[in-house]
Amino acid sequence: MLDRFLESAATLSTPTLGGHGEVTAWLAETTARGSFTTEAIPFAELDGWSFDPDTGDLGHRSGGFFTIRGLDVHDPAGVVTAWTQPIIHQPEVGVLGILVKEIDGVLCLLMQAKMEPGNVNVIQLSPTVQATRSNFLRLHGGAATKYLEHFTEPGRGTVLVDVLHSEQGGRFFRKRNRNIIVETTEDVPLHEGFRWFTLGQVHELLRQDNMVNMDSRTVLACLPMNATARPPERRAGELGPAIVESFRQDPEPAGIQNWLNQAKGACELTAKLAPLRDVGRWTRGERVIAHEEGRYFEVVAMSVTATGREVRSWTQPLIAPCGTGLVGFLASRARGYLEVLLQTRVEAGTPDIVELGPTVQCMPDNYLHLAPERRPPFLDHVRTAQGKDVKYDVVLSEEGGRFYRAENRYRIVEVADDVRFAATPPGFRWASLAQLSALIPHSGYLNVEARSLLACMRALC
Amino acid sequence: MLDRFLESAATLSTPTLGGHGEVTAWLAETTARGSFTTEAIPFAELDGWSFDPDTGDLGHRSGGFFTIRGLDVHDPAGVVTAWTQPIIHQPEVGVLGILVKEIDGVLCLLMQAKMEPGNVNVIQLSPTVQATRSNFLRLHGGAATKYLEHFTEPGRGTVLVDVLHSEQGGRFFRKRNRNIIVETTEDVPLHEGFRWFTLGQVHELLRQDNMVNMDSRTVLACLPMNATARPPERRAGELGPAIVESFRQDPEPAGIQNWLNQAKGACELTAKLAPLRDVGRWTRGERVIAHEEGRYFEVVAMSVTATGREVRSWTQPLIAPCGTGLVGFLASRARGYLEVLLQTRVEAGTPDIVELGPTVQCMPDNYLHLAPERRPPFLDHVRTAQGKDVKYDVVLSEEGGRFYRAENRYRIVEVADDVRFAATPPGFRWASLAQLSALIPHSGYLNVEARSLLACMRALC
């Protein structure tokens, strides 16, 4: 039997939902209904946000939302043995939930067209529920979170997935969100800005720049797929059949767990919160907190005005990255099924410090002045690949509620056998998609960039 | 096909290893070969260990081994909203590894008869490797850890399991060890104190008091079992067939993950390390650090002399619990397969604070003076059950390298349908053995007491 989500991935239109034209029209209509303006302002003009006189931490007077604090990192065995940096501290577990329901015999996903201040465009597709705990408990007032009850009340549906996943470990301190997928058979009212999509329709948008947000991608990566039938034939040279085939394999992920846990056990990095005031090599100006070399990211203050049925304005800090990142998998069909090249990735802010990351994850601009042999392994391969080896090449945004115009280029590059069977550098290892699918329903394995890229890869099937 | 570990569980003797008589003789011979004496001493007589003049923390001059520090806990929603306590701090990941190999066509486990200062008896069965990272890196000198290479060198065998598991969250701060099972086909030399066992032989010892140590039990709980054939008929009324049957079920653990993650998201407990000097309601005397009500545990100092082929002496602090604990599952076959009653268990020292614990886990003496309705749910049921409902009732020790004579009574009590289908109190939920088996290869689900009890339950099959 083909998995129900694979069936949905192969379905581009249904009688009730329509097809590509209806999706495009709905997106245009939703976009026309409201807009956003954002303007950089001095920190002094933030409303309700201020720097603590003792610690220099940037927080809200309610004690809620999030705080920009300092992080003090020591890594005796690292290339850099100690550093300090600003970091987002938000010690609560949010909910990222996608509600699914069978419509016209096909499993469909309830998605939201969501405006967020940091988006490069106005709206992006977000999960059914994307809410911090403070949000959905309405600690700051605000409207009730729509559809929340499907994810928090017992017995409202069949829970397909519920897993605590980390987020960007270079920017968040030990942040984790629940990634939840619930199947319902109830009648579900459709609120403004929400629409049912087949997985194939979501995948079409995921192959376009900046249309499917990070919160959606991490939940999509967790969709359970498990095919027992041989997949339909597809065009030669494409990855689709090999991806579907991977859902039929026996995963046996213990070898990957062994490799990752070896790295976790060996890692000596320690990271603890510190006053933002004590963060060296970063300076606080009127409008930005920036690194002395202009690298990594800046903390900025923004005034946001949302127009729509009503006008809402607020101010908030955001993290603005310095440049566009590159996130890429090298992929191979050398053994007849699909494998990707992983790295054990050390990030000071993740709960376990070490997680599995994609082959390449960096800001290329930080390295291109170096000789090729001093750049991160495989950077040039992933960055410069062209033609039919490039299976996926899309610019996607990170979380628009915390990051300002944070874009990464996501690439999947297929390699020939000589690369696949060459020795890998320390800290790199090939893993099958089946192994990753077995690990993704559990915490502490795949970092957010690897999960995002896994969702992108599935959009090729 | 019956799983290879289930085959091993059903095998009580092999031509090469012999049976019960040979195991008993080997244990007697090994016990006769050496012994231990321990003597309580004043803290001032500890060699190399002292209280830090600033913090009052009890540590070793090398900075290694472990430190007794303070823990400052706040739990706004808890019955007790704030407390401080001593806690063991040892920020490194150790290895608990069992090597397995096919002998006479049966998978066998290489186990060690290990002397530890806190053991109530001299020796207990421990895993092939039971070593802190400092131990196996030989930071404090000492001999090389035997068989370590099978668990740390790539390509030495097939990794069946490798998972980071927490330990006692009331006594350790964020301690995790790697639980590893590796199958080898190499010739393995047998060092003194080591012996191959069938799983059935290990299970025989696990049904006796204080013979299989905690480190063994947590690894045994991780043994992957997966039967596709119907199990052989066993005696009516016993749990064996229902346990084996559970290895054939589709686990679908997402409902349990959902329930646990809901509790993790809602938990507001925070815990941070603090100076031992600032721990209130605990007092430091010449020989013990104790709670003012004589509850929980004491920190004591011990002089240890081991005799055997050579005589070795040392001193170290140990944690001595105040009383014998009770750890129990209520179990049910009401739906035709085996389920146990779990609780979401809040423990300040575990990395995620909340994990899944057994039905009952407490020191009964702390509660027996209370009216029955104010005692922990199910305490009386698990404690007082008698006769054929009691499927397992064995006293087992916790880690003898850190704890002094720490014993818990482990009980598995079968309940009738009226209990199984009664409403459960908040924080309790029935789970199938299949669900637990699906979660146990991953971090952050089952606490060490639940894992131990799961290993005991498997000893009934």
Side-chain angles (χ1 to χ4, degrees):
Chain A
M1 195 185 74
L2 255 191
D3 178 88
R4 292 190 302 156
F5 282 111
L6 284 171
E7 293 276 13
S8 182
T11 304
L12 297 180
S13 77
T14 85
T16 307
L17 304 181
H20 184 73
E22 283 77 5
V23 169
T24 307
W26 178 81
L27 284 170
E29 182 192 319
T30 309
T31 305
R33 207 179 290 133
S35 191
F36 250 146
T37 57
T38 54
E39 187 193 356
I41 56 172
F43 290 120
E45 290 178 20
L46 283 170
D47 178 22
W49 293 82
S50 60
F51 293 101
D52 183 278
D54 291 330
T55 61
D57 295 344
L58 177 56
H60 191 259
R61 65 179 163 222
S62 67
F65 300 105
F66 58 92
T67 312
I68 309 287
R69 301 179 65 171
L71 192 72
D72 184 14
V73 186
H74 292 265
D75 186 10
V79 179
V80 180
T81 56
W83 77 90
T84 54
Q85 65 164 86
I87 197 130
I88 306 171
H89 185 235
Q90 187 176 2
E92 58 175 14
V93 172
V95 168
L96 308 178
I98 293 182
L99 191 64
V100 305
K101 183 182 172 169
E102 207 171 283
I103 297 173
D104 300 332
V106 180
L107 266 192
C108 293
L109 295 73
L110 185 60
M111 306 296 287
Q112 180 181 11
K114 193 174 173 79
M115 295 199 293
E116 289 188 292
N119 285 354
V120 292
N121 42 359
V122 176
I123 61 161
Q124 295 194 15
L125 216 57
S126 82
T128 319
V129 166
Q130 173 185 326
T132 65
R133 186 167 170 81
S134 302
N135 274 157
F136 68 68
L137 294 178
R138 304 169 75 175
L139 297 186
H140 313 302
T145 302
K146 293 189 175 63
Y147 304 109
L148 179 70
E149 63 278 11
H150 291 279
F151 302 96
T152 56
E153 289 178 5
R156 288 295 292 262
T158 304
V159 180
L160 303 181
V161 172
D162 189 334
V163 49
L164 284 166
H165 274 316
S166 65
E167 300 202 352
Q168 286 80 359
R171 295 173 188 177
F172 286 111
F173 184 67
R174 298 189 184 163
K175 173 130 184 271
R176 296 198 300 181
N177 276 322
R178 287 170 70 188
N179 288 230
I180 315 180
I181 301 167
V182 169
E183 181 176 357
T184 185
T185 53
E186 298 178 22
D187 284 335
V188 179
L190 213 50
H191 297 293
E192 188 178 302
F194 290 83
R195 188 185 201 277
W196 293 100
F197 288 77
T198 69
L199 184 53
Q201 290 173 338
V202 173
H203 283 169
E204 280 189 321
L205 296 175
L206 195 45
R207 293 194 297 268
Q208 299 172 28
D209 286 354
N210 292 317
M211 283 307 299
V212 177
N213 80 0
M214 184 211 85
D215 306 270
S216 295
R217 299 194 302 272
T218 173
V219 185
L220 289 169
C222 301
L223 287 176
M225 293 189 183
N226 185 359
T228 54
R230 190 154 283 280
E233 289 300 320
R234 305 221 180 176
R235 282 166 295 166
E238 295 302 317
L239 295 186
I243 293 168
V244 175
E245 186 70 27
S246 76
F247 298 124
R248 304 175 64 238
Q249 284 168 356
D250 189 2
E252 293 179 2
I256 299 296
Q257 293 172 285
N258 178 247
W259 173 63
L260 174 60
N261 287 343
Q262 188 88 357
K264 287 188 181 187
C267 180
E268 296 178 10
L269 185 145
T270 58
K272 62 177 183 195
L273 291 170
L276 183 58
R277 182 186 295 286
D278 296 344
V279 165
R281 305 188 66 186
W282 292 72
T283 53
R284 183 177 119 196
E286 298 279 300
R287 292 171 167 268
V288 295
I289 299 170
H291 186 256
E292 60 183 16
E293 291 170 3
R295 290 169 70 177
Y296 311 115
F297 59 82
E298 294 179 345
V299 182
V300 297
M302 287 282 165
S303 165
V304 186
T305 304
T307 59
R309 195 173 281 177
E310 53 186 334
V311 176
R312 288 191 309 134
S313 294
W314 71 91
T315 62
Q316 70 167 89
L318 284 165
I319 300 288
C322 301
T324 297
L326 179 66
V327 174
F329 269 143
L330 291 187
S332 158
R333 284 179 287 184
R335 293 178 180 181
Y337 51 86
L338 205 68
E339 295 198 332
V340 297
L341 187 58
L342 297 176
Q343 60 170 303
T344 49
R345 175 98 187 161
V346 174
E347 290 181 356
T350 45
D352 275 9
I353 311 289
V354 188
E355 290 187 328
L356 299 171
T359 320
V360 169
Q361 174 189 332
C362 69
M363 295 270 188
D365 288 351
N366 288 345
Y367 300 100
L368 295 181
H369 65 283
L370 299 174
E373 66 275 12
R374 296 193 53 209
R375 298 175 189 168
F378 308 108
L379 169 59
D380 291 319
H381 195 144
V382 169
R383 188 176 63 90
T384 61
Q386 289 187 319
K388 70 175 179 40
D389 292 342
V390 180
K391 302 302 180 185
Y392 186 86
D393 184 12
V394 179
V395 175
L396 298 169
S397 298
E398 307 310 314
E399 164 69 43
R402 294 290 174 272
F403 301 125
Y404 186 71
R405 300 188 178 174
E407 292 180 303
N408 285 306
R409 178 169 290 276
Y410 284 78
R411 301 196 109 202
I412 297 169
V413 173
E414 190 171 13
V415 298
D417 287 4
D418 58 328
V419 176
R420 170 63 186 87
F421 292 111
T424 49
F428 287 81
R429 181 174 166 141
W430 290 92
S432 72
L433 274 196
Q435 289 171 323
L436 300 191
S437 297
L439 295 177
I440 214 165
H442 305 287
S443 302
Y445 297 115
L446 290 163
N447 75 1
V448 64
E449 290 82 3
R451 297 196 309 274
S452 239
L453 201 48
L454 195 64
C456 299
M457 180 166 264
R458 287 177 169 192
L460 304 177
C461 82
Chain B
M1 195 185 75
L2 255 192
D3 178 89
R4 292 191 302 155
F5 282 111
L6 284 171
E7 293 276 14
S8 181
T11 304
L12 297 181
S13 77
T14 85
T16 307
L17 304 182
H20 183 74
E22 283 77 5
V23 169
T24 307
W26 178 80
L27 284 170
E29 183 192 318
T30 308
T31 305
R33 208 178 288 133
S35 191
F36 250 146
T37 57
T38 53
E39 186 193 356
I41 55 171
F43 290 120
E45 290 177 20
L46 282 170
D47 178 22
W49 294 82
S50 61
F51 293 101
D52 183 278
D54 292 330
T55 61
D57 295 344
L58 176 56
H60 191 259
R61 66 179 162 224
S62 66
F65 300 106
F66 59 92
T67 312
I68 309 287
R69 301 180 65 171
L71 193 71
D72 184 14
V73 186
H74 292 264
D75 186 10
V79 178
V80 180
T81 57
W83 76 88
T84 53
Q85 65 164 87
I87 197 130
I88 306 172
H89 186 234
Q90 187 177 2
E92 57 175 15
V93 172
V95 168
L96 307 179
I98 294 181
L99 191 64
V100 304
K101 184 182 173 171
E102 207 171 285
I103 297 173
D104 300 330
V106 179
L107 267 191
C108 293
L109 294 73
L110 185 59
M111 305 296 286
Q112 181 181 11
K114 194 172 171 80
M115 294 200 294
E116 289 188 292
N119 286 353
V120 292
N121 42 0
V122 176
I123 62 161
Q124 295 194 13
L125 215 57
S126 82
T128 319
V129 167
Q130 173 185 326
T132 66
R133 187 167 170 81
S134 302
N135 274 157
F136 68 68
L137 294 178
R138 304 169 76 174
L139 296 185
H140 313 302
T145 302
K146 293 190 174 62
Y147 305 108
L148 179 70
E149 63 279 11
H150 291 279
F151 302 94
T152 56
E153 288 178 4
R156 288 296 292 262
T158 304
V159 180
L160 304 181
V161 172
D162 189 334
V163 50
L164 284 166
H165 274 316
S166 64
E167 301 202 353
Q168 285 81 358
R171 296 174 187 178
F172 286 111
F173 184 68
R174 297 188 183 163
K175 173 132 184 270
R176 297 199 301 182
N177 276 323
R178 287 170 71 189
N179 289 231
I180 315 180
I181 301 168
V182 170
E183 181 176 357
T184 184
T185 54
E186 297 178 22
D187 284 334
V188 179
L190 212 51
H191 298 292
E192 188 178 302
F194 291 83
R195 188 184 200 278
W196 292 99
F197 289 76
T198 68
L199 185 53
Q201 290 173 339
V202 173
H203 283 170
E204 280 190 320
L205 295 175
L206 194 46
R207 294 194 297 269
Q208 300 173 28
D209 286 355
N210 292 317
M211 283 306 299
V212 178
N213 80 0
M214 184 212 84
D215 306 271
S216 295
R217 299 194 303 270
T218 174
V219 185
L220 290 169
C222 302
L223 287 176
M225 293 189 183
N226 184 0
T228 54
R230 191 155 282 281
E233 289 301 320
R234 305 222 180 176
R235 282 166 296 165
E238 296 302 319
L239 294 187
I243 294 168
V244 175
E245 186 70 26
S246 77
F247 298 124
R248 304 175 63 238
Q249 284 168 356
D250 190 0
E252 293 179 1
I256 298 296
Q257 293 172 285
N258 177 246
W259 172 63
L260 174 60
N261 288 342
Q262 188 88 355
K264 287 188 182 188
C267 180
E268 296 178 8
L269 185 147
T270 57
K272 62 178 184 194
L273 291 170
L276 183 59
R277 181 185 295 285
D278 296 344
V279 166
R281 306 188 65 187
W282 293 72
T283 53
R284 185 177 117 197
E286 299 278 300
R287 291 170 168 268
V288 295
I289 299 171
H291 186 257
E292 60 184 15
E293 292 169 2
R295 290 169 70 177
Y296 311 115
F297 59 83
E298 295 179 344
V299 181
V300 297
M302 287 282 164
S303 165
V304 186
T305 303
T307 58
R309 195 174 280 178
E310 54 187 331
V311 176
R312 287 191 309 134
S313 294
W314 71 92
T315 63
Q316 70 167 88
L318 284 165
I319 300 287
C322 302
T324 296
L326 178 66
V327 174
F329 269 143
L330 290 188
S332 158
R333 283 178 288 184
R335 294 179 179 179
Y337 51 86
L338 205 68
E339 295 197 332
V340 296
L341 186 58
L342 297 176
Q343 61 169 303
T344 50
R345 175 99 188 159
V346 174
E347 290 182 354
T350 45
D352 275 9
I353 311 289
V354 187
E355 290 187 327
L356 299 171
T359 320
V360 168
Q361 175 189 333
C362 69
M363 294 270 187
D365 288 350
N366 288 345
Y367 299 100
L368 295 183
H369 64 286
L370 299 174
E373 67 275 12
R374 296 192 54 208
R375 298 176 188 167
F378 308 107
L379 169 59
D380 291 319
H381 195 144
V382 169
R383 188 175 63 89
T384 62
Q386 289 187 319
K388 70 174 180 39
D389 292 343
V390 180
K391 301 303 178 184
Y392 186 86
D393 185 12
V394 179
V395 175
L396 298 169
S397 299
E398 306 311 312
E399 165 68 43
R402 296 289 174 272
F403 300 125
Y404 185 71
R405 300 189 179 173
E407 292 180 302
N408 285 306
R409 178 170 291 276
Y410 285 78
R411 301 196 111 202
I412 297 169
V413 173
E414 190 171 14
V415 298
D417 286 4
D418 59 328
V419 176
R420 170 63 186 87
F421 291 111
T424 49
F428 287 82
R429 182 175 165 139
W430 290 92
S432 72
L433 274 195
Q435 288 172 323
L436 300 191
S437 298
L439 296 177
I440 215 165
H442 305 286
S443 301
Y445 297 114
L446 290 163
N447 75 2
V448 64
E449 289 83 3
R451 299 197 307 274
S452 239
L453 202 47
L454 194 65
C456 299
M457 180 166 264
R458 288 177 168 191
L460 304 177
C461 81

